[in-house]
mmCIF file of all heavy atoms in Angstrom:
data_model
loop_
_atom_site.group_PDB
_atom_site.id
_atom_site.type_symbol
_atom_site.label_atom_id
_atom_site.label_comp_id
_atom_site.label_asym_id
_atom_site.label_seq_id
_atom_site.Cartn_x
_atom_site.Cartn_y
_atom_site.Cartn_z
ATOM 1 N N LEU A 69 6.875 25.401 3.103
ATOM 2 C CA LEU A 69 6.544 24.283 2.211
ATOM 3 C C LEU A 69 7.129 22.994 2.776
ATOM 4 O O LEU A 69 8.152 23.030 3.453
ATOM 5 C CB LEU A 69 7.146 24.520 0.812
ATOM 6 C CG LEU A 69 6.480 25.583 -0.052
ATOM 7 C CD1 LEU A 69 7.351 25.885 -1.253
ATOM 8 C CD2 LEU A 69 5.114 25.118 -0.516
ATOM 9 N N PRO A 70 6.513 21.863 2.482
ATOM 10 C CA PRO A 70 7.112 20.588 2.895
ATOM 11 C C PRO A 70 8.499 20.444 2.269
ATOM 12 O O PRO A 70 8.732 20.929 1.159
ATOM 13 C CB PRO A 70 6.162 19.541 2.315
ATOM 14 C CG PRO A 70 4.892 20.268 2.050
ATOM 15 C CD PRO A 70 5.259 21.686 1.775
ATOM 16 N N GLN A 71 9.385 19.770 2.995
ATOM 17 C CA GLN A 71 10.763 19.657 2.519
ATOM 18 C C GLN A 71 10.854 19.027 1.125
ATOM 19 O O GLN A 71 11.655 19.406 0.306
ATOM 20 C CB GLN A 71 11.575 18.816 3.511
ATOM 21 C CG GLN A 71 13.071 18.776 3.226
ATOM 22 C CD GLN A 71 13.703 20.156 3.293
ATOM 23 O OE1 GLN A 71 13.431 20.906 4.204
ATOM 24 N NE2 GLN A 71 14.537 20.487 2.313
ATOM 25 N N ASN A 72 9.975 18.043 0.898
ATOM 26 C CA ASN A 72 10.058 17.350 -0.389
ATOM 27 C C ASN A 72 9.108 17.942 -1.426
ATOM 28 O O ASN A 72 8.903 17.369 -2.479
ATOM 29 C CB ASN A 72 9.774 15.858 -0.205
ATOM 30 C CG ASN A 72 8.437 15.632 0.478
ATOM 31 O OD1 ASN A 72 7.803 16.588 0.907
ATOM 32 N ND2 ASN A 72 8.021 14.385 0.577
ATOM 33 N N ALA A 73 8.522 19.071 -1.129
ATOM 34 C CA ALA A 73 7.627 19.700 -2.104
ATOM 35 C C ALA A 73 8.437 20.221 -3.281
ATOM 36 O O ALA A 73 9.536 20.729 -3.105
ATOM 37 C CB ALA A 73 6.873 20.849 -1.448
ATOM 38 N N ARG A 74 7.883 20.082 -4.436
ATOM 39 C CA ARG A 74 8.606 20.564 -5.613
ATOM 40 C C ARG A 74 7.716 21.537 -6.376
ATOM 41 O O ARG A 74 6.541 21.287 -6.580
ATOM 42 C CB ARG A 74 8.976 19.397 -6.529
ATOM 43 C CG ARG A 74 9.968 18.450 -5.915
ATOM 44 C CD ARG A 74 10.449 17.462 -6.956
ATOM 45 N NE ARG A 74 11.241 18.124 -7.984
ATOM 46 C CZ ARG A 74 12.518 18.437 -7.840
ATOM 47 N NH1 ARG A 74 13.131 18.182 -6.722
ATOM 48 N NH2 ARG A 74 13.182 19.014 -8.805
ATOM 49 N N LEU A 75 8.286 22.641 -6.762
ATOM 50 C CA LEU A 75 7.590 23.555 -7.646
ATOM 51 C C LEU A 75 8.355 23.549 -8.957
ATOM 52 O O LEU A 75 9.541 23.824 -8.982
ATOM 53 C CB LEU A 75 7.563 24.972 -7.065
ATOM 54 C CG LEU A 75 6.566 25.228 -5.934
ATOM 55 C CD1 LEU A 75 6.731 26.644 -5.408
ATOM 56 C CD2 LEU A 75 5.151 25.034 -6.422
ATOM 57 N N THR A 76 7.690 23.219 -10.020
ATOM 58 C CA THR A 76 8.367 23.177 -11.305
ATOM 59 C C THR A 76 8.471 24.586 -11.876
ATOM 60 O O THR A 76 7.843 25.523 -11.369
ATOM 61 C CB THR A 76 7.591 22.301 -12.294
ATOM 62 O OG1 THR A 76 6.332 22.942 -12.544
ATOM 63 C CG2 THR A 76 7.353 20.914 -11.736
ATOM 64 N N SER A 77 9.233 24.727 -12.961
ATOM 65 C CA SER A 77 9.371 26.044 -13.584
ATOM 66 C C SER A 77 8.016 26.539 -14.073
ATOM 67 O O SER A 77 7.728 27.728 -14.027
ATOM 68 C CB SER A 77 10.365 25.976 -14.746
ATOM 69 O OG SER A 77 9.938 25.034 -15.697
ATOM 70 N N VAL A 78 7.172 25.597 -14.496
ATOM 71 C CA VAL A 78 5.842 25.977 -14.965
ATOM 72 C C VAL A 78 5.036 26.558 -13.806
ATOM 73 O O VAL A 78 4.356 27.580 -13.941
ATOM 74 C CB VAL A 78 5.113 24.747 -15.556
ATOM 75 C CG1 VAL A 78 3.677 25.094 -15.926
ATOM 76 C CG2 VAL A 78 5.864 24.227 -16.773
ATOM 77 N N GLU A 79 5.140 25.915 -12.646
ATOM 78 C CA GLU A 79 4.402 26.404 -11.489
ATOM 79 C C GLU A 79 4.958 27.743 -10.998
ATOM 80 O O GLU A 79 4.205 28.626 -10.593
ATOM 81 C CB GLU A 79 4.440 25.350 -10.368
ATOM 82 C CG GLU A 79 3.564 24.156 -10.701
ATOM 83 C CD GLU A 79 3.880 22.935 -9.857
ATOM 84 O OE1 GLU A 79 5.004 22.834 -9.336
ATOM 85 O OE2 GLU A 79 3.013 22.093 -9.728
ATOM 86 N N VAL A 80 6.277 27.874 -11.046
ATOM 87 C CA VAL A 80 6.883 29.153 -10.649
ATOM 88 C C VAL A 80 6.419 30.259 -11.597
ATOM 89 O O VAL A 80 6.058 31.358 -11.172
ATOM 90 C CB VAL A 80 8.425 29.055 -10.651
ATOM 91 C CG1 VAL A 80 9.047 30.434 -10.468
ATOM 92 C CG2 VAL A 80 8.902 28.132 -9.542
ATOM 93 N N ASP A 81 6.388 29.934 -12.889
ATOM 94 C CA ASP A 81 5.897 30.901 -13.876
ATOM 95 C C ASP A 81 4.453 31.280 -13.575
ATOM 96 O O ASP A 81 4.072 32.450 -13.653
ATOM 97 C CB ASP A 81 5.976 30.311 -15.290
ATOM 98 C CG ASP A 81 7.385 30.381 -15.840
ATOM 99 O OD1 ASP A 81 8.203 31.094 -15.247
ATOM 100 O OD2 ASP A 81 7.660 29.717 -16.854
ATOM 101 N N SER A 82 3.678 30.261 -13.238
ATOM 102 C CA SER A 82 2.265 30.487 -12.953
ATOM 103 C C SER A 82 2.100 31.401 -11.740
ATOM 104 O O SER A 82 1.297 32.335 -11.744
ATOM 105 C CB SER A 82 1.588 29.138 -12.721
ATOM 106 O OG SER A 82 0.315 29.329 -12.200
ATOM 107 N N ILE A 83 2.891 31.120 -10.702
ATOM 108 C CA ILE A 83 2.845 31.952 -9.498
ATOM 109 C C ILE A 83 3.239 33.382 -9.846
ATOM 110 O O ILE A 83 2.561 34.348 -9.477
ATOM 111 C CB ILE A 83 3.805 31.395 -8.421
ATOM 112 C CG1 ILE A 83 3.253 30.079 -7.860
ATOM 113 C CG2 ILE A 83 3.988 32.406 -7.283
ATOM 114 C CD1 ILE A 83 4.240 29.362 -6.951
ATOM 115 N N ALA A 84 4.336 33.511 -10.584
ATOM 116 C CA ALA A 84 4.839 34.844 -10.929
ATOM 117 C C ALA A 84 3.821 35.625 -11.747
ATOM 118 O O ALA A 84 3.622 36.829 -11.538
ATOM 119 C CB ALA A 84 6.156 34.717 -11.694
ATOM 120 N N GLU A 85 3.153 34.909 -12.646
ATOM 121 C CA GLU A 85 2.186 35.578 -13.509
ATOM 122 C C GLU A 85 0.954 36.017 -12.716
ATOM 123 O O GLU A 85 0.491 37.144 -12.828
ATOM 124 C CB GLU A 85 1.771 34.627 -14.639
ATOM 125 C CG GLU A 85 0.957 35.299 -15.717
ATOM 126 C CD GLU A 85 0.601 34.326 -16.833
ATOM 127 O OE1 GLU A 85 1.323 33.308 -16.999
ATOM 128 O OE2 GLU A 85 -0.399 34.572 -17.507
ATOM 129 N N ARG A 86 0.453 35.088 -11.912
ATOM 130 C CA ARG A 86 -0.759 35.387 -11.154
ATOM 131 C C ARG A 86 -0.529 36.509 -10.161
ATOM 132 O O ARG A 86 -1.402 37.321 -9.881
ATOM 133 C CB ARG A 86 -1.249 34.127 -10.438
ATOM 134 C CG ARG A 86 -2.161 33.296 -11.312
ATOM 135 C CD ARG A 86 -2.154 31.844 -10.934
ATOM 136 N NE ARG A 86 -2.378 31.604 -9.529
ATOM 137 C CZ ARG A 86 -2.043 30.469 -8.916
ATOM 138 N NH1 ARG A 86 -1.460 29.511 -9.599
ATOM 139 N NH2 ARG A 86 -2.275 30.293 -7.661
ATOM 140 N N MET A 87 0.672 36.541 -9.605
ATOM 141 C CA MET A 87 0.966 37.564 -8.596
ATOM 142 C C MET A 87 1.595 38.789 -9.200
ATOM 143 O O MET A 87 1.934 39.735 -8.505
ATOM 144 C CB MET A 87 1.891 36.987 -7.530
ATOM 145 C CG MET A 87 1.243 35.843 -6.790
ATOM 146 S SD MET A 87 2.244 35.339 -5.408
ATOM 147 C CE MET A 87 2.181 36.828 -4.433
ATOM 148 N N GLN A 88 1.754 38.759 -10.536
ATOM 149 C CA GLN A 88 2.378 39.871 -11.254
ATOM 150 C C GLN A 88 3.714 40.234 -10.623
ATOM 151 O O GLN A 88 4.011 41.411 -10.360
ATOM 152 C CB GLN A 88 1.446 41.081 -11.273
ATOM 153 C CG GLN A 88 0.134 40.784 -11.997
ATOM 154 C CD GLN A 88 -0.804 41.956 -12.006
ATOM 155 O OE1 GLN A 88 -1.013 42.602 -10.985
ATOM 156 N NE2 GLN A 88 -1.366 42.244 -13.168
#
Side-chain angles (χ1 to χ4, degrees):
Chain A
L69 287 168
Q71 188 61 45
N72 55 354
R74 294 189 67 81
L75 283 176
T76 65
S77 58
V78 174
E79 288 163 337
V80 171
D81 281 347
S82 169
I83 289 171
E85 190 178 337
R86 273 154 51 200
M87 297 188 64
Q88 298 179 314

